[in-house]
Amino acid sequence: MGTCACTCREGSGSYGRRLERRRAMDALFSAPAVVDVMAGEGLGESGRADLRRLVGLEWEQFDAVLGMNGRAGCQDDLRSFLSYRCAQYLAFPHPLIPLVLGEYVEAERTGRNLVEEKYARMMAVTDPDGYQRDWARRLGTPSPVRAAALRQIRALLSPALESAARELPQSHRHARPDESVPGRVSALDYFEAEVAGYSLGTLFALRDALGEQLKHTNPIALSYVLAARLGKATEAIS
Protein backbone atom coordinates (compact mmCIF):
# COMPACT_ATOMS: atom_id res chain seq x y z
CA MET A 1 0.00 0.00 0.00
CA GLY A 2 3.04 2.28 0.20
CA THR A 3 2.65 3.56 -3.36
CA CYS A 4 -1.14 3.61 -3.51
CA ALA A 5 -2.99 6.74 -4.50
CA CYS A 6 -5.16 6.23 -1.42
CA THR A 7 -8.40 7.23 -3.07
CA CYS A 8 -11.49 6.38 -1.06
CA ARG A 9 -14.08 4.19 -2.70
CA GLU A 10 -17.69 5.28 -2.87
CA GLY A 11 -18.90 4.36 0.61
CA SER A 12 -17.32 1.51 2.59
CA GLY A 13 -19.48 -1.37 1.43
CA SER A 14 -22.96 -2.51 2.30
CA TYR A 15 -24.31 -2.56 5.82
CA GLY A 16 -24.27 -6.37 5.68
CA ARG A 17 -20.58 -6.38 4.81
CA ARG A 18 -19.76 -3.98 7.62
CA LEU A 19 -21.75 -6.08 10.07
CA GLU A 20 -19.92 -9.23 8.97
CA ARG A 21 -16.54 -7.58 9.47
CA ARG A 22 -17.56 -6.27 12.90
CA ARG A 23 -18.63 -9.75 13.98
CA ALA A 24 -15.31 -11.19 12.85
CA MET A 25 -13.47 -8.51 14.82
CA ASP A 26 -15.59 -9.21 17.91
CA ALA A 27 -14.81 -12.92 17.68
CA LEU A 28 -11.06 -12.31 17.66
CA PHE A 29 -11.15 -9.71 20.42
CA SER A 30 -13.15 -11.98 22.72
CA ALA A 31 -10.92 -15.02 22.18
CA PRO A 32 -9.34 -16.07 25.51
CA ALA A 33 -5.81 -16.13 24.10
CA VAL A 34 -6.14 -12.56 22.81
CA VAL A 35 -7.73 -11.36 26.06
CA ASP A 36 -4.84 -12.95 27.97
CA VAL A 37 -2.25 -11.00 25.96
CA MET A 38 -4.06 -7.74 26.58
CA ALA A 39 -4.61 -8.46 30.27
CA GLY A 40 -0.96 -9.36 30.60
CA GLU A 41 -0.09 -5.86 29.44
CA GLY A 42 -2.37 -4.37 32.10
CA LEU A 43 -5.34 -3.54 29.89
CA GLY A 44 -8.56 -4.09 31.81
CA GLU A 45 -12.09 -4.63 30.57
CA SER A 46 -12.77 -0.94 29.96
CA GLY A 47 -9.49 -0.49 28.12
CA ARG A 48 -10.17 -3.56 25.97
CA ALA A 49 -13.59 -2.17 25.07
CA ASP A 50 -12.03 1.12 23.96
CA LEU A 51 -9.34 -0.70 22.00
CA ARG A 52 -11.91 -2.96 20.36
CA ARG A 53 -13.92 0.06 19.21
CA LEU A 54 -10.82 1.93 18.04
CA VAL A 55 -9.36 -0.93 16.02
CA GLY A 56 -12.82 -1.68 14.67
CA LEU A 57 -13.16 1.89 13.35
CA GLU A 58 -9.68 1.66 11.83
CA TRP A 59 -10.62 -1.63 10.17
CA GLU A 60 -13.75 -0.09 8.63
CA GLN A 61 -11.85 2.96 7.39
CA PHE A 62 -9.08 0.72 6.02
CA ASP A 63 -11.76 -1.18 4.09
CA ALA A 64 -12.70 2.07 2.32
CA VAL A 65 -9.19 2.83 1.00
CA LEU A 66 -8.54 2.02 -2.66
CA GLY A 67 -4.97 1.95 -3.92
CA MET A 68 -3.64 2.84 -7.34
CA ASN A 69 -3.75 -0.83 -8.35
CA GLY A 70 -7.07 -1.59 -6.68
CA ARG A 71 -7.88 -3.33 -3.46
CA ALA A 72 -4.95 -4.88 -1.54
CA GLY A 73 -5.09 -8.38 -0.03
CA CYS A 74 -4.11 -7.06 3.40
CA GLN A 75 -7.45 -5.25 3.58
CA ASP A 76 -9.11 -8.61 4.21
CA ASP A 77 -6.44 -10.01 6.53
CA LEU A 78 -8.12 -9.30 9.85
CA ARG A 79 -5.78 -11.44 11.95
CA SER A 80 -2.67 -9.58 10.83
CA PHE A 81 -4.42 -6.23 11.10
CA LEU A 82 -5.55 -6.92 14.65
CA SER A 83 -2.14 -8.27 15.65
CA TYR A 84 -0.15 -5.28 14.43
CA ARG A 85 -2.59 -2.55 15.40
CA CYS A 86 -3.25 -3.93 18.88
CA ALA A 87 0.47 -4.57 19.40
CA GLN A 88 1.17 -0.89 18.75
CA TYR A 89 -1.56 0.38 21.05
CA LEU A 90 -0.60 -2.07 23.80
CA ALA A 91 3.09 -1.17 23.53
CA PHE A 92 2.59 2.59 23.56
CA PRO A 93 1.17 4.46 26.60
CA HIS A 94 -2.32 3.11 27.30
CA PRO A 95 -3.88 6.50 28.21
CA LEU A 96 -3.58 7.32 24.51
CA ILE A 97 -6.15 4.68 23.54
CA PRO A 98 -9.25 6.70 24.52
CA LEU A 99 -7.68 9.84 23.04
CA VAL A 100 -7.09 8.20 19.66
CA LEU A 101 -10.54 6.62 19.84
CA GLY A 102 -11.90 10.14 20.23
CA GLU A 103 -10.03 11.17 17.09
CA TYR A 104 -11.69 8.37 15.11
CA VAL A 105 -15.14 9.05 16.53
CA GLU A 106 -14.81 12.70 15.52
CA ALA A 107 -13.48 11.68 12.10
CA GLU A 108 -16.54 9.47 11.58
CA ARG A 109 -18.79 12.36 12.57
CA THR A 110 -17.18 14.76 10.11
CA GLY A 111 -16.67 12.31 7.25
CA ARG A 112 -12.88 12.06 7.43
CA ASN A 113 -11.03 8.82 6.77
CA LEU A 114 -7.91 8.96 8.95
CA VAL A 115 -6.50 5.76 7.47
CA GLU A 116 -6.85 7.16 3.96
CA GLU A 117 -5.11 10.34 5.09
CA LYS A 118 -2.30 8.29 6.65
CA TYR A 119 -1.58 6.51 3.38
CA ALA A 120 -1.80 9.79 1.53
CA ARG A 121 0.85 11.34 3.81
CA MET A 122 3.06 8.30 3.27
CA MET A 123 3.05 9.23 -0.41
CA ALA A 124 4.87 12.45 0.45
CA VAL A 125 8.02 10.33 0.93
CA THR A 126 7.32 7.33 -1.33
CA ASP A 127 5.68 9.14 -4.28
CA PRO A 128 6.22 12.91 -3.92
CA ASP A 129 4.85 13.74 -7.37
CA GLY A 130 1.66 11.81 -6.74
CA TYR A 131 1.28 13.45 -3.34
CA GLN A 132 1.66 16.93 -4.78
CA ARG A 133 -0.81 16.13 -7.55
CA ASP A 134 -3.53 14.43 -5.49
CA TRP A 135 -3.17 15.34 -1.83
CA ALA A 136 -0.93 18.29 -0.96
CA ARG A 137 -3.63 20.93 -1.34
CA ARG A 138 -6.28 18.84 0.42
CA LEU A 139 -4.14 18.00 3.47
CA GLY A 140 -2.33 21.32 3.61
CA THR A 141 0.90 22.19 5.39
CA PRO A 142 1.19 21.51 9.15
CA SER A 143 1.24 24.61 11.32
CA PRO A 144 4.59 25.49 12.95
CA VAL A 145 3.27 24.20 16.31
CA ARG A 146 2.10 20.89 14.82
CA ALA A 147 5.33 20.46 12.85
CA ALA A 148 7.37 21.06 16.02
CA ALA A 149 5.34 18.47 17.96
CA LEU A 150 5.85 15.91 15.19
CA ARG A 151 9.61 16.57 15.18
CA GLN A 152 9.72 16.10 18.96
CA ILE A 153 7.86 12.78 18.75
CA ARG A 154 10.17 11.60 16.00
CA ALA A 155 13.24 12.62 18.03
CA LEU A 156 11.97 10.54 20.95
CA LEU A 157 11.31 7.45 18.83
CA SER A 158 14.44 7.52 16.64
CA PRO A 159 16.84 6.15 19.31
CA ALA A 160 14.14 3.66 20.40
CA LEU A 161 14.03 2.31 16.85
CA GLU A 162 17.82 1.96 16.78
CA SER A 163 17.73 0.15 20.12
CA ALA A 164 14.98 -2.20 18.94
CA ALA A 165 17.09 -3.07 15.89
CA ARG A 166 19.97 -4.07 18.16
CA GLU A 167 17.86 -5.94 20.70
CA LEU A 168 15.60 -7.81 18.28
CA PRO A 169 17.41 -7.90 14.92
CA GLN A 170 15.31 -10.70 13.42
CA SER A 171 12.03 -8.98 14.24
CA HIS A 172 13.43 -5.68 13.04
CA ARG A 173 14.31 -7.19 9.66
CA HIS A 174 10.65 -8.11 9.19
CA ALA A 175 9.43 -4.64 10.17
CA ARG A 176 9.33 -1.52 8.03
CA PRO A 177 12.71 -0.27 6.76
CA ASP A 178 14.77 2.36 8.57
CA GLU A 179 14.69 4.73 5.59
CA SER A 180 11.92 5.44 3.11
CA VAL A 181 12.53 4.65 -0.55
CA PRO A 182 10.23 4.89 -3.57
CA GLY A 183 7.38 2.49 -2.91
CA ARG A 184 8.37 1.67 0.69
CA VAL A 185 7.85 3.83 3.75
CA SER A 186 10.09 3.75 6.82
CA ALA A 187 8.80 2.95 10.29
CA LEU A 188 9.15 6.54 11.52
CA ASP A 189 7.66 8.09 8.39
CA TYR A 190 4.74 5.66 8.69
CA PHE A 191 4.14 6.57 12.33
CA GLU A 192 4.39 10.29 11.62
CA ALA A 193 1.92 9.94 8.74
CA GLU A 194 -0.45 8.19 11.12
CA VAL A 195 -0.42 10.70 13.96
CA ALA A 196 -0.08 13.89 11.89
CA GLY A 197 -3.84 14.14 11.48
CA TYR A 198 -4.61 14.01 15.19
CA SER A 199 -5.55 17.09 17.19
CA LEU A 200 -2.79 19.08 18.87
CA GLY A 201 -4.03 17.93 22.27
CA THR A 202 -3.52 14.29 21.32
CA LEU A 203 -0.11 15.02 19.80
CA PHE A 204 1.03 16.80 22.95
CA ALA A 205 -0.27 13.92 25.09
CA LEU A 206 1.57 11.42 22.90
CA ARG A 207 4.81 13.40 23.12
CA ASP A 208 4.64 13.76 26.89
CA ALA A 209 3.58 10.16 27.55
CA LEU A 210 6.34 8.83 25.31
CA GLY A 211 8.90 10.94 27.10
CA GLU A 212 7.95 9.26 30.38
CA GLN A 213 7.58 5.74 28.96
CA LEU A 214 10.96 5.78 27.21
CA LYS A 215 12.68 6.22 30.57
CA HIS A 216 11.93 2.57 31.32
CA THR A 217 10.32 0.86 28.29
CA ASN A 218 11.03 0.76 24.56
CA PRO A 219 7.58 0.72 22.90
CA ILE A 220 8.97 -0.24 19.50
CA ALA A 221 10.76 -3.33 20.79
CA LEU A 222 7.70 -4.21 22.86
CA SER A 223 5.45 -3.88 19.82
CA TYR A 224 7.59 -6.46 17.98
CA VAL A 225 7.11 -8.93 20.83
CA LEU A 226 3.40 -8.28 21.18
CA ALA A 227 2.74 -8.55 17.44
CA ALA A 228 4.27 -12.03 17.49
CA ARG A 229 2.29 -13.05 20.57
CA LEU A 230 -0.98 -11.75 19.16
CA GLY A 231 -0.25 -13.44 15.84
CA LYS A 232 0.11 -16.79 17.61
CA ALA A 233 -2.99 -16.10 19.71
CA THR A 234 -5.13 -15.52 16.60
CA GLU A 235 -3.74 -18.51 14.67
CA ALA A 236 -5.55 -20.95 16.95
CA ILE A 237 -8.95 -19.28 16.44
CA SER A 238 -11.18 -20.93 13.88
Side-chain angles (χ1 to χ4, degrees):
M1 297 291 288
T3 57
C4 76
C6 298
T7 351
C8 197
R9 292 186 288 116
E10 290 294 329
S12 55
S14 68
Y15 175 75
R17 172 183 172 81
R18 296 181 71 180
L19 186 60
E20 181 181 356
R21 287 168 72 89
R22 289 175 188 176
R23 286 172 175 166
M25 177 73 77
D26 286 339
L28 288 185
F29 254 88
S30 60
V34 173
V35 171
D36 286 347
V37 173
M38 294 183 181
E41 293 305 309
L43 200 66
E45 184 175 351
S46 176
R48 290 197 304 273
D50 282 347
L51 183 58
R52 159 65 188 89
R53 190 178 179 202
L54 168 55
V55 175
L57 287 173
E58 287 188 333
W59 181 234
E60 291 184 12
Q61 291 199 0
F62 187 34
D63 186 43
V65 176
L66 185 63
M68 183 183 301
N69 298 314
R71 186 175 179 81
C74 57
Q75 288 175 279
D76 294 313
D77 186 357
L78 174 57
R79 295 170 192 263
S80 294
F81 185 88
L82 181 146
S83 297
Y84 288 115
R85 297 309 298 160
C86 287
Q88 177 174 305
Y89 287 121
L90 288 170
F92 279 67
H94 293 178
L96 293 170
I97 293 173
L99 295 181
V100 179
L101 172 58
E103 300 287 344
Y104 273 85
V105 170
E106 178 64 12
E108 289 282 297
R109 188 187 70 81
T110 58
R112 289 176 64 198
N113 186 323
L114 295 182
V115 177
E116 178 191 34
E117 291 181 10
K118 171 175 69 175
Y119 282 105
R121 290 189 183 91
M122 286 161 51
M123 289 175 63
V125 293
T126 62
D127 182 9
D129 292 339
Y131 178 78
Q132 288 297 322
R133 181 186 66 242
D134 300 327
W135 285 97
R137 180 173 295 181
R138 175 174 169 182
L139 293 179
T141 301
S143 69
V145 174
R146 180 177 298 275
L150 292 170
R151 285 195 301 270
Q152 290 165 347
I153 291 168
R154 191 182 188 101
L156 287 168
L157 288 175
S158 183
L161 181 65
E162 294 173 1
S163 178
R166 293 192 300 270
E167 295 171 17
L168 299 168
Q170 185 172 355
S171 297
H172 185 72
R173 282 195 295 270
H174 288 90
R176 294 185 180 276
D178 293 338
E179 300 291 337
S180 292
V181 296
R184 292 194 70 196
V185 67
S186 72
L188 292 182
D189 284 336
Y190 179 95
F191 189 78
E192 182 173 334
E194 178 173 312
V195 304
Y198 295 165
S199 66
L200 282 175
T202 297
L203 284 181
F204 294 153
L206 170 62
R207 178 198 61 193
D208 296 344
L210 276 176
E212 290 301 312
Q213 183 187 38
L214 285 164
K215 295 175 182 178
H216 53 81
T217 303
N218 183 336
I220 296 177
L222 180 56
S223 72
Y224 292 169
V225 174
L226 291 174
R229 291 177 60 195
L230 286 164
K232 289 181 180 179
T234 60
E235 282 176 3
I237 303 169
S238 60

